[in-house]
């Protein structure tokens, strides 16, 4: 995970991006006029030759086919019970106890479901229990007793009580804390259970009762799991308002609710889609909390969390950097640029098209600015993070940021295959099949093959029919970026060989035709924005709901997409639309003890 | 061109961190002296990205079976030579040409295409079969580098409790110390310290509460969802049983490990701490069966502490996938690939040093009869691949260290099985038989030929 949990990447609404948005009014008007529908076929993509002339689109978007949404009554797919993620745990203990050390970073990592972290597949083990217990014991001791190495706030600060033996005050604090920790869904019994432990534990000593109460809270299934029951007994029922408050806090902040959100649930102000969306907008306006969520989304969506797992001897490429640089420093600068850029775009009325085609960026380190050949637009009187940079003509938008390019490269070469796979999966929701077993995937070191460009190497894919079936879907998209070396610097030649970047959009439905290079490609993606727009709406859905979509979600997703398109593909509007959708506010009803299906 | 890197053997053996284990004249482990049981221990150890073939193995110096010295990669094992068996020539026939397939089949012997393991790994099988009544049926440790992938995938998980069911290793020494040794510390006969008494009393209440809390919530869920809460409830119940048992083994021999960092930091410090925790876990008889992985398959680790600033996996691809003879590369190849091979050997030597350190820590614990815990232990060290650039599994390199409770050939042994005669399933069966299990086959039946009797005493 790149995103730190104590909201260190807070972004203010500076309006700088919206000023920049004005530069794109002409483009925005063009986008608004685009009304392409996605033609899609009915069959899931197989390894059979896809170029049969059928009107197939990205297979992941079968939900958008005509006839998949008929209903006037809400339908939704089942939401399996989910255990909170490491990020959600760390944000919660920060919000509840001021804990800044991110204890959950050491927990077992989540699995990926539909591309995003989600603890819904493998049940927890004794090791998970051990980790939860250890964290709970450490946190409770730090809050109540303090001591060396503790990084929580003190009990008196958190509660306003004079100490653990201040019973009336403490019991009130514990009831409120339980409500907030359980994300609004605590029953009076749940609160009483925690208070009961506080009382019982005092038989051990004065602090033990309070420590036990806090521990019990932190290992409770109400905290560790998101359990939802809905209200009513038909097959699809509305979630209760506390359950909606819980979902809003998780989806928009990856944390627990604040008091205004809890109050809104109490007051019955989360009943309609409009009411939910009002809260969503309020919560997205909390720049600090939503920035952390947005960073968590983008690093998974566009794959830059993989930067932690790669390494480049940067000097191989840019030995002319004035003071030299080590890879971790350069990597941090790359991550910072992309998280900052995307968060800023979403929080300042930016659109998907702007993110993909922007001729500017923010907060570049000296090395990145040199790597890009970018010039600062704002002077030194503007804080470094807010400083806008103008990009040269050879670089545009999110996909040509060093972070994205470097996360999808080999040690000494760019990788059109990895980059193409990213685009196909993340932007078009049409992930390619993995390579067949036994295929030699070794990549020759650039030093051993001077004069051979990346284009030369992957030409073999097109010549071999077994390879070409899949690779014609992948390689052209990635090859468009061949002017960017392994760490994202611009190169005229590639390892001494010629750079070719032209290619075709293959089997992308309404997005068809050819492009000359990456800049041309992103312009065309945005010009036919329905394809990337439908996928982006789907990715946002998967992230916000923590599960894969299903047929029952088709209506909700189509409505979300329609709102997204109607609002010029505004990045904030799609999030709000998701929270107001039926999929967010309803659930399938189940019978305890019976199969969930 | 540089000469072969001169390696300071002592640096890897002694290390910069002293530990509480390095005390001379320890009392014999009371659990041994008391019970007289023949306790046997197994550790499966893993390092990534294969070996450098012409610098791994032995230099034969004479006609006798033990007339050899170790080549570079294994040089840190020299002081342990009489209890080392180098096993070359086995094929991992279950692996299909990738790091992932090699990793998933390394300890399971079930055919893998690289998606997951087709069955339980041998440690999980033996832990269940032995049913030794130890606190933990098995223990899994990992030394994690900052570059390692975080997810629970076929690339990161080495141990499987069943087909498709990976087991998470312990990669946090602080958490492992707290969890494994919370009942350990008091000297035999002394009154329990107040902090332990308090902790035990609080945990009794907490476990009772969380069990009731989970039961109450689980009852409201449909069955697939309920299974997740039931699993957590079972997890807490397991912890409760562990922690509410008595202090277990006491006395100076079984004590909380206290690794002194010295000049070690980062990965190197973490490694020493995990080695100390693992050795002491066996000394305290917490388990008979353990596993240890340094990073994971395709390790992306950048070992800056070795002055290497590239990823291990990347370097393994700088080495060649083809040379005329890997056992004896031609001068041209030697010159061309020396930088890559030297780096890989340096990383290999570091890991050999850590495994040697582990073995020597086990050797600190007398078990009576002039023997030590190392004599009762078999460490089986392997990798997910042979040549990192070629992604081959034939031959798959293995080194055994320890006495195997007298079942493993002693004196120092090197054996190279002829090509296409034996698979590594046979080694897994051999490990099982050393541990007293009578199985004659492990993993995919068709890949088995029976135990490697040549390496048994």
């Amino acid at each position: 995970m790149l995103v730190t949990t104590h909201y260190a990447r807070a972004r203010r609404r500076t309006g700088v991006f919206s000023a920049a948005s004005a530069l794109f009014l002409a483009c925005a008007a063009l986008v608004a006029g685009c009304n392409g529908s996605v033609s899609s076929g009915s069959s899931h993509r197989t390894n059979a030759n896809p170029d049969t002339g059928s009107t197939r689109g990205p297979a992941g978007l079968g939900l958008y086919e005509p006839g998949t949404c008929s209903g006037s009554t809400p339908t939704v797919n089942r939401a399996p019970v989910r255990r909170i993620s490491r990020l959600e745990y760390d944000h919660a203990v920060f919000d509840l106890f001021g804990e800044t050390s991110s204890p959950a970073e050491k927990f077992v990592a989540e699995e990926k479901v539909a591309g995003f972290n989600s603890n819904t597949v493998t049940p927890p083990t004794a090791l998970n229990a051990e980790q939860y217990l250890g964290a709970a014991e450490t946190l409770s001791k730090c809050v109540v007793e303090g001591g060396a190495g503790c990084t929580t706030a003190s009990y008196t600060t958190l509660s306003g009580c004079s100490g653990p033996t201040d019973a009336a005050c403490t019991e009130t604090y514990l009831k409120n804390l339980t409500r907030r920790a359980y994300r609004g869904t605590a029953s009076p019994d749940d609160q009483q259970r925690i208070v009961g432990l506080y009382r019982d534990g005092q038989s051990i000593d004065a602090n033990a009762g309070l420590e036990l109460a806090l521990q019990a809270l932190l290992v409770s299934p109400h905290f560790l799991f998101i359990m939802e029951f809905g209200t009513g007994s038909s097959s699809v029922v509305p979630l209760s308002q506390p359950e909606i408050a819980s979902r809003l806090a998780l989806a928009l902040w990856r944390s627990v609710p604040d008091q205004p959100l809890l109050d809104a649930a109490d007051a019955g102000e989360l009943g309609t889609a409009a009411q939910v969306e009002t809260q969503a907008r309020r919560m997205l306006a909390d720049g600090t909390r939503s920035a952390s969520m947005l960073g968590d989304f983008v690093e998974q969506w566009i794959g830059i969390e993989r930067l932690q797992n790669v390494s480049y001897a940067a000097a191989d490429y840019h030995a002319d950097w004035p003071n030299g640089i080590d890879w971790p420093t350069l990597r941090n600068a790359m991550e910072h640029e992309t998280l900052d850029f995307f968060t800023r775009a979403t929080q300042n009325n930016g659109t998907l098209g702007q993110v993909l085609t922007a001729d500017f960026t923010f907060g570049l380190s000296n090395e990145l600015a040199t790597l890009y050949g970018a010039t600062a637009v704002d002077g030194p009187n503007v804080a470094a993070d807010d400083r806008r940079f103008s990009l040269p003509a050879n670089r545009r938008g999110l996909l040509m940021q060093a972070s994205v390019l470097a996360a999808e490269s080999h040690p000494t070469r760019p990788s059109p295959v990895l980059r193409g796979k990213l685009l196909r999966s993340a932007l078009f929701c049409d992930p390619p099949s993995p390579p067949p077993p036994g295929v030699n995937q070794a990549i020759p070191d650039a030093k051993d093959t001077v004069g051979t460009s990346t284009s030369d190497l992957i030409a073999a894919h097109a010549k071999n029919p077994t390879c070409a079936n899949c690779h014609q879907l992948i390689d052209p998209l990635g090859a468009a970026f061949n002017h960017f070396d392994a760490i994202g610097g611009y190169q005229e030649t590639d390892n001494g060989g010629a750079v070719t970047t032209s290619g075709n959009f293959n089997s992308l439905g309404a997005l068809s035709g050819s492009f000359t290079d990456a800049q041309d490609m992103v312009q065309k993606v945005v010009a036919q924005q329905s394809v990337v727009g439908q996928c982006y709406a789907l990715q946002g859905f998967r992230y916000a709901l923590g599960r894969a979509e299903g047929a029952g979600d088709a209506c909700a997703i189509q409505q979300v997409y329609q709102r997204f398109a109607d609002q010029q593909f505004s990045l904030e509007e799609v999030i709000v639309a998701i929270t107001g959708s039926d999929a967010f506010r309803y659930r399938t009803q189940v019978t305890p003890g019976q199969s969930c299906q | 061109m540089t000469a072969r890197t001169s390696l300071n053997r002592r640096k890897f053996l002694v290390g910069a961190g002293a530990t509480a284990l390095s005390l001379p004249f320890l009392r014999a482990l009371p659990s041994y002296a008391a019970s007289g049981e023949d306790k046997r221990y197994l550790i499966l150890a893993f390092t990534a990205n294969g070996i450098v073939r012409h610098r791994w193995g032995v230099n034969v110096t004479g006609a006798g079976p033990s007339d050899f010295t170790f080549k570079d990669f294994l040089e840190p094992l020299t002081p342990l030579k009489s209890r080392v068996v180098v096993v070359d020539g086995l094929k991992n026939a279950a692996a299909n040409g990738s790091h992932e397939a090699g990793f998933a089949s390394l300890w399971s012997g079930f055919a893998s295409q690289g998606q997951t393991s087709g069955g339980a790994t041998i440690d999980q099988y033996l832990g269940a079969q032995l049913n030794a009544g130890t606190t933990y049926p098995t223990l899994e440790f990992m030394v994690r580098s900052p570059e390692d992938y975080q997810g629970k995938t076929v690339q990161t998980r080495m141990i499987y409790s069943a087909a498709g069911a990976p087991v998470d290793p312990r990669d946090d020494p602080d958490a492992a110390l707290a969890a494994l040794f919370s009942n350990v510390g008091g000297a035999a006969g002394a009154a329990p310290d107040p902090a332990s008494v308090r902790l035990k009393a609080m945990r009794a209440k907490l476990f009772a509460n969380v069990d009731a809390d989970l039961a109450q919530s689980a009852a409201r869920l449909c069955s697939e969802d309920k299974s997740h809460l039931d699993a957590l409830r079972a997890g807490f119940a397991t912890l409760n049983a562990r922690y509410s048992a008595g202090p277990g083994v006491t006395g100076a021999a079984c004590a909380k490990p206290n690794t002194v960092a010295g000049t070690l930091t980062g990965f190197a410090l973490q490694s020493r701490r995990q080695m100390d925790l693992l050795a002491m876990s066996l000394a305290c008889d917490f388990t008979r069966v353990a596993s240890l992985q340094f990073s994971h398959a395709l390790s992306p680790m950048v070992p800056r502490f070795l002055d290497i600033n590239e990823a291990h996996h990347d370097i393994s691809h700088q080495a060649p996938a083809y040379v005329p003879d890997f056992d004896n590369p031609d001068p041209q190849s030697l010159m061309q690939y020396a930088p890559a091979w030297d780096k890989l050997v340096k990383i290999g030597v570091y890991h050999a040093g850590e495994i040697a350190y582990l073995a020597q820590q086990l050797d600190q614990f007398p078990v009576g009869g002039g023997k030590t815990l190392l004599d009762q232990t078999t460490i089986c060290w392997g990798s997910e691949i042979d040549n990192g650039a070629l992604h081959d599994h034939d031959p798959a390199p293995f080194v055994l260290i320890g006495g195997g409770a007298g079942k493993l050939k002693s004196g120092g042994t090197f054996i190279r099985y002829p090509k296409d005669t034996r698979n590594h399933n046979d080694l897994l069966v051999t490990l099982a038989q050393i541990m007293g299990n009578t199985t004659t086959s492990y993993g995919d039946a068709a890949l088995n030929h029976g135990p490697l009797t040549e390496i048994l005493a």
Side-chain angles (χ1 to χ4, degrees):
Chain A
M1 288 186 300
L2 312 177
V3 177
T4 60
T5 61
H6 42 93
Y7 304 112
R9 299 185 196 275
R11 299 270 69 83
R12 305 183 309 281
R13 280 181 172 274
T14 63
V16 175
F17 207 103
S18 35
S21 306
L23 297 173
F24 285 90
L25 274 177
C27 286
L30 184 64
V31 165
C34 283
N35 213 5
S37 58
V38 175
S39 59
S40 51
S42 55
S43 60
H44 183 78
R45 187 173 67 80
T46 67
N47 282 340
N49 186 350
D51 276 338
T52 58
S54 65
T55 54
R56 269 195 41 244
L61 305 184
L63 294 169
Y64 288 101
E65 293 171 39
T68 48
C69 174
S70 52
S72 47
T73 55
T75 60
V76 65
N77 258 64
R78 170 190 164 229
V81 75
R82 179 167 79 79
R83 204 160 28 97
I84 59 174
S85 68
R86 293 166 297 160
L87 188 68
E88 288 164 340
Y89 187 102
D90 280 338
H91 282 169
V93 299
F94 176 80
D95 284 335
L96 297 172
F97 304 113
E99 171 60 88
T100 55
S101 75
S102 306
E105 274 179 7
K106 296 181 180 168
F107 290 179
V108 174
E110 300 81 26
E111 292 156 308
K112 292 282 186 194
V113 174
F116 296 103
N117 297 336
S118 185
N119 281 326
T120 51
V121 180
T122 302
T125 64
L127 185 66
N128 294 112
E130 212 180 89
Q131 292 175 340
Y132 293 139
L133 177 66
E137 289 179 334
T138 303
L139 275 161
S140 63
K141 178 192 153 304
C142 280
V143 167
V144 177
E145 299 175 28
C150 282
T151 43
T152 61
S154 70
Y155 177 60
T156 48
T157 307
L158 291 169
S159 64
C161 304
S162 60
T165 50
D166 183 351
C169 180
T170 295
E171 294 191 5
T172 302
Y173 166 72
L174 285 173
K175 285 183 187 153
N176 291 334
L177 182 72
T178 302
R179 177 134 194 269
R180 192 171 178 213
Y182 296 0
R183 296 175 295 273
T185 64
S187 68
D189 273 354
D190 296 329
Q191 293 169 312
Q192 224 20 64
R193 175 184 288 287
I194 301 299
V195 167
L197 265 177
Y198 164 64
R199 291 176 183 165
D200 186 24
Q202 289 181 68
S203 63
I204 299 175
D205 61 50
N207 287 341
L210 180 55
E211 285 180 47
L212 262 177
L214 298 178
Q215 290 169 16
L217 186 117
L218 289 167
V219 298
S220 171
H222 298 281
F223 175 65
L224 293 175
F225 287 97
I226 301 137
M227 295 183 288
E228 297 168 333
F229 303 94
T231 58
S233 56
S234 52
S235 59
V236 174
V237 296
L239 291 172
S240 71
Q241 302 212 13
E243 287 169 346
I244 290 184
S246 168
R247 281 200 178 190
L248 282 169
L250 291 165
L252 302 183
W253 289 343
R254 291 288 163 222
S255 189
V256 294
D258 62 357
Q259 198 55 48
L261 183 57
L262 293 172
D263 292 342
D266 281 343
E269 287 165 9
L270 296 175
T272 66
Q275 287 175 319
V276 172
E277 293 187 11
T278 300
Q279 272 302 316
R281 289 184 205 286
R282 177 188 76 83
M283 294 170 74
L284 286 170
D286 181 331
T288 311
R289 287 192 165 108
S290 66
S292 197
M293 177 279 289
L294 293 170
D296 182 53
F297 169 76
V298 76
E299 76 179 16
Q300 295 181 67
W301 171 55
I302 212 67
I304 62 171
E305 59 182 354
R306 285 190 283 281
L307 283 173
Q308 293 295 323
N309 313 116
V310 299
S311 177
Y312 297 100
D316 278 357
Y317 297 91
H318 296 278
D320 54 315
W321 270 325
N323 297 315
I325 191 168
D326 62 79
W327 165 247
T329 307
L330 184 62
R331 177 191 65 213
N332 290 342
M334 291 179 176
E335 292 162 4
H336 179 85
E337 181 207 354
T338 298
L339 264 59
D340 187 21
F341 175 85
F342 179 80
T343 303
R344 198 178 283 273
T346 308
Q347 292 178 335
N348 290 278
N349 306 312
T351 69
L352 182 59
Q354 288 169 345
V355 158
L356 292 176
T357 60
D359 66 356
F360 55 88
T361 185
F362 293 90
L364 294 180
S365 69
N366 290 338
E367 289 80 12
L368 274 184
T370 308
L371 185 70
Y372 291 179
T375 45
V377 172
D378 300 312
N381 54 309
V382 175
D385 278 351
D386 292 338
R387 204 169 296 152
R388 193 149 53 95
F389 285 77
S390 182
L391 294 172
N394 61 29
R395 193 180 296 266
R396 288 287 179 266
L398 173 69
L399 299 179
M400 280 166 259
Q401 292 181 350
S403 62
V404 178
L405 298 164
E408 311 298 340
S409 291
H410 296 301
T412 59
R413 294 184 175 280
S415 176
V417 174
L418 291 176
R419 291 168 181 178
K421 177 180 164 210
L422 173 74
L423 258 65
R424 194 110 206 152
S425 310
L427 258 64
F428 305 125
C429 292
D430 188 29
S433 309
V439 164
N440 176 16
Q441 298 177 56
I443 309 294
D445 195 86
K447 290 196 289 292
D448 295 337
T449 51
V450 173
T452 307
S453 71
T454 306
S455 308
D456 298 331
L457 285 178
I458 66 167
H461 293 163
K463 293 195 183 101
N464 181 334
T466 317
C467 308
N469 280 342
C470 277
H471 274 275
Q472 53 106 12
L473 303 172
I474 306 167
D475 294 2
L477 296 175
F481 298 87
N482 279 347
H483 268 303
F484 298 102
D485 65 23
I487 59 169
Y490 188 83
Q491 54 181 11
E492 284 295 347
T493 58
D494 176 16
N495 198 32
V499 169
T500 50
T501 54
S502 56
N504 296 319
F505 294 112
N506 290 326
S507 299
L508 286 171
L511 180 61
S512 61
S514 63
F515 45 83
T516 53
D517 58 18
Q519 294 85 322
D520 186 38
M521 186 181 77
V522 296
Q523 290 290 343
K524 288 175 169 154
V525 166
V526 171
Q528 180 53 278
Q529 205 163 145
S530 62
V531 179
V532 67
Q534 289 184 348
C535 178
Y536 190 83
L538 185 54
Q539 301 282 30
F541 176 94
R542 291 164 172 170
Y543 177 78
L545 275 86
R547 63 174 176 84
E549 72 285 1
D553 302 313
C555 290
I557 291 172
Q558 289 179 22
Q559 285 163 9
V560 166
Y561 169 69
Q562 203 51 61
R563 279 268 296 277
F564 188 35
D566 291 344
Q567 299 289 328
Q568 287 74 53
F569 299 95
S570 153
L571 298 170
E572 180 165 329
E573 278 306 308
V574 70
I575 301 172
V576 173
I578 289 167
T579 64
S581 73
D582 289 346
F584 199 84
R585 297 181 306 113
Y586 288 80
R587 65 177 267 110
T588 52
Q589 197 48 288
V590 295
T591 309
Q594 309 263 323
S595 170
C596 303
Q597 307 298 343
Chain B
M1 169 171 141
T2 57
R4 240 177 235 185
T5 311
S6 149
L7 302 160
N8 184 343
R9 183 154 51 83
R10 288 202 66 75
K11 178 179 167 196
F12 295 104
L13 293 180
V14 173
T19 79
L21 300 182
S22 315
L23 301 169
F25 311 122
L26 288 173
R27 288 203 302 267
L29 290 172
S31 56
Y32 268 88
S35 73
E37 186 192 338
D38 172 29
K39 294 181 184 170
R40 309 182 191 184
Y41 298 88
L42 175 65
I43 302 175
L44 306 178
F46 166 84
T47 57
N49 295 323
I51 62 168
V52 178
R53 189 141 274 283
H54 68 281
R55 290 171 72 175
W56 181 89
V58 308
N59 293 309
V60 174
T61 56
S66 302
D67 291 340
F68 63 84
T69 59
F70 290 110
K71 289 190 179 178
D72 283 8
F73 220 93
L74 302 181
E75 199 180 356
L77 300 180
T78 300
L80 298 157
K81 181 185 168 190
S82 65
R83 286 174 288 185
V84 175
V85 178
V86 180
V87 184
D88 198 5
L90 297 177
K91 177 177 179 177
N92 181 347
N96 180 339
S98 66
H99 289 270
E100 291 85 347
F103 203 40
S105 59
L106 177 59
W107 304 120
S108 75
F110 287 94
S112 175
Q113 301 287 325
Q115 310 307 314
T116 187
S117 173
T121 47
I122 188 85
D123 62 312
Q124 298 297 302
Y125 167 78
L126 288 172
Q129 288 291 313
L130 288 173
N131 198 20
T134 50
T135 311
Y136 299 84
T138 62
L139 282 173
E140 295 74 31
F141 288 90
M142 176 180 183
V143 186
R144 170 181 287 284
S145 82
E147 295 84 18
D148 286 351
Y149 306 142
Q150 296 226 316
K152 190 198 302 268
T153 70
V154 68
Q155 289 168 339
T156 64
R157 293 295 182 264
M158 173 167 102
I159 301 298
Y160 290 78
S161 58
V167 175
D168 304 317
R170 298 167 181 280
D171 59 9
D172 175 12
D174 289 326
L177 177 64
L180 297 176
F181 290 90
S182 61
N183 276 350
V184 170
D193 65 290
S196 302
V197 171
R198 180 182 193 261
L199 184 62
K200 205 159 173 176
M202 288 177 69
R203 281 179 172 174
K205 291 185 189 292
L206 184 66
F207 283 125
N209 173 76
V210 74
D211 191 70
D213 199 1
L214 279 161
Q216 190 178 58
S217 287
R220 300 180 63 197
L221 300 178
C222 51
S223 53
E224 291 87 333
D225 289 348
K226 180 176 185 297
S227 70
H228 284 252
L229 269 72
D230 287 344
L232 187 60
R233 193 174 166 208
F236 281 120
T238 298
L239 297 186
N240 190 13
R242 284 180 196 158
Y243 296 150
S244 59
V249 181
T250 54
C254 171
K256 273 191 168 68
N258 180 25
T259 309
V260 174
T263 57
L264 296 178
T265 60
F267 187 90
L269 175 59
Q270 196 204 139
S271 176
R272 285 299 158 100
R273 294 188 67 196
Q274 295 289 64
M275 299 306 111
D276 288 343
L277 284 159
L278 173 51
M280 190 60 88
S281 293
L282 268 51
C284 295
D285 205 29
F286 290 158
T287 189
R288 305 290 165 79
V289 179
S291 63
L292 164 67
Q293 58 182 98
F294 289 89
S295 181
H296 55 71
L298 291 105
S299 173
M301 169 181 168
V302 180
R304 297 180 196 281
F305 60 97
L306 299 177
D307 294 320
I308 295 173
N309 295 323
E310 299 162 88
H312 189 187
H313 180 235
D314 297 346
I315 303 167
S316 74
H317 279 280
Q318 294 167 13
Y322 298 100
V323 294
D325 178 3
F326 268 115
D327 285 314
N328 195 15
D330 55 288
Q332 166 67 22
S333 296
L334 280 173
M335 192 149 45
Q336 185 177 355
Y337 298 111
W341 276 331
D342 283 348
K343 279 180 269 191
L344 291 173
V345 169
K346 193 171 185 184
I347 295 169
V349 168
Y350 164 75
H351 286 112
E354 294 305 285
I355 291 173
Y357 172 85
L358 171 66
Q360 286 167 322
Q361 296 301 58
L362 292 169
D363 214 22
Q364 304 279 346
F365 294 96
V367 297
K371 300 268 175 212
T372 72
L373 193 53
L374 181 62
D375 294 311
Q376 293 299 111
T377 299
T378 307
I379 303 172
C380 180
W381 172 20
S383 186
E384 88 277 24
I385 211 107
D386 171 47
N387 177 327
L390 181 57
H391 291 169
D392 72 311
H393 304 98
D394 182 19
F398 288 98
V399 181
L400 303 180
I401 304 138
K407 306 292 175 231
L408 199 54
K409 209 171 203 108
S410 65
T413 310
F414 168 72
I415 184 163
R416 187 173 193 174
Y417 287 93
K419 188 163 160 55
D420 292 328
T421 57
R422 307 303 291 270
N423 295 328
H424 88 295
N425 299 63
D426 304 334
L427 176 61
L428 299 179
V429 167
T430 308
L431 295 175
Q433 294 196 357
I434 289 172
M435 290 297 286
N437 185 279
T438 54
T439 189
T440 53
S441 171
Y442 200 77
D444 283 336
L447 302 178
N448 281 268
H449 306 90
L452 303 172
T453 52
E454 296 83 2
I455 67 171
L456 294 174

